Amino acid sequence: MGRLTASQWEQARADYEVRGISLGDVARTYGVATSSVSRRARAEGWTQGRLQDLAARKVAAVKEMAEVETQTQDLPLRIRHTLQSVVEERLQAEGMLASLDVALAAKAITLAHQATSAADIETLSRARKNLAPAQQAPAQQTTVTVNQQAQAGAAAEAVSIPPAPPTPEGAVRAVLRGALEGDEA
C-alpha cells in the first residue's frame, strides 16, 4: 500500500463527503489501509455524505435551468431579449450580475483557448450575441435601390480576399466587447 499525495487525499475526502462512499471503499479505491483513511478523516473532521444534499440541489437547479432555456428558445427574438434584460436587471438589483459576468468571461476564455478553428471562434461569438442582447438603440431603417444593391454586390466581388481568422485571445476580447467582425445583428 502506497502513500497518497495531497491531491489524492482531497479527492478521497470529496468522494466520502460528496458521494457518501464508506471509508472502507475510499481505502480500497486509493489502495491504502482503512485505518489510515479513518485516522485522516477523524483528524480533519470528515463527515460522510455531508455534501450530498448540495449536489442534489445543484442537479435540480441545472435541470430547472435547462427547462427554462428550452422554453425560452420557443419565444420570439424580441421577447427573449426583453426577458434577458429583465433577468439582468433583477440580478443586478440583487448584486449578482457582476459575479455572473466574471463567471461567463472565465468560461469564454476557457472555451476560446480550446477553439481549434476560426469556425469555433465564430460560434463562440454568435453564442455571446444570443446570450447578451444589444444594448444600443435599434438601427433606423433605410431604403436601398436595385442600383445600390448591384453596386454593393460588385464591390463585394472585387474584395475577394477573406480576412485572417482572429487569434483565440483576440477573439475572446472581441467576443467580450461584442465586436467580432461578421456579427452584425
Side-chain angles (χ1 to χ4, degrees):
M1 295 194 186
R3 293 181 168 259
L4 299 182
T5 64
S7 176
Q8 290 171 316
W9 278 116
E10 285 178 27
Q11 185 59 52
R13 182 177 187 168
D15 288 342
Y16 184 72
E17 292 189 325
V18 178
R19 295 181 190 282
I21 65 174
S22 69
L23 290 176
D25 287 341
V26 169
R28 275 187 288 288
T29 300
Y30 293 92
V32 294
T34 304
S35 59
S36 296
V37 176
S38 180
R39 266 193 310 276
R40 183 90 174 216
R42 212 176 12 261
E44 294 180 1
W46 296 7
T47 304
Q48 184 177 15
R50 178 176 68 95
L51 299 173
Q52 283 183 322
D53 179 57
L54 183 60
R57 288 184 11 231
K58 189 166 184 172
V59 166
V62 168
K63 284 181 177 179
E64 178 67 22
M65 189 66 177
E67 185 179 320
V68 168
E69 288 300 319
T70 299
Q71 291 172 0
T72 302
Q73 291 302 317
D74 295 337
L75 298 173
L77 184 62
R78 180 72 58 198
I79 292 175
R80 284 196 321 247
H81 283 190
T82 302
L83 179 64
Q84 183 65 28
S85 294
V86 169
V87 168
E88 288 176 5
E89 289 166 7
R90 289 183 183 177
L91 287 174
Q92 190 169 17
E94 294 178 18
M96 293 183 67
L97 193 58
S99 62
L100 180 64
D101 284 345
V102 169
L104 288 173
K107 183 69 174 173
I109 290 168
T110 300
L111 290 172
H113 284 294
Q114 294 171 351
T116 58
S117 68
D120 290 346
I121 294 170
E122 182 178 349
T123 300
L124 287 173
S125 172
R126 296 205 187 289
R128 184 205 176 275
K129 288 288 187 180
N130 290 335
L131 290 174
Q135 298 297 323
Q136 53 209 302
Q140 294 181 350
Q141 292 189 353
T142 57
T143 304
V144 178
T145 66
V146 174
N147 287 340
Q148 289 171 325
Q149 285 179 334
Q151 289 171 349
E157 286 178 18
V159 180
S160 62
I161 301 170
T167 64
E169 290 203 6
V172 169
R173 286 189 184 95
V175 166
L176 294 175
R177 258 192 342 267
L180 192 61
E181 210 165 294
D183 272 347
E184 292 78 29

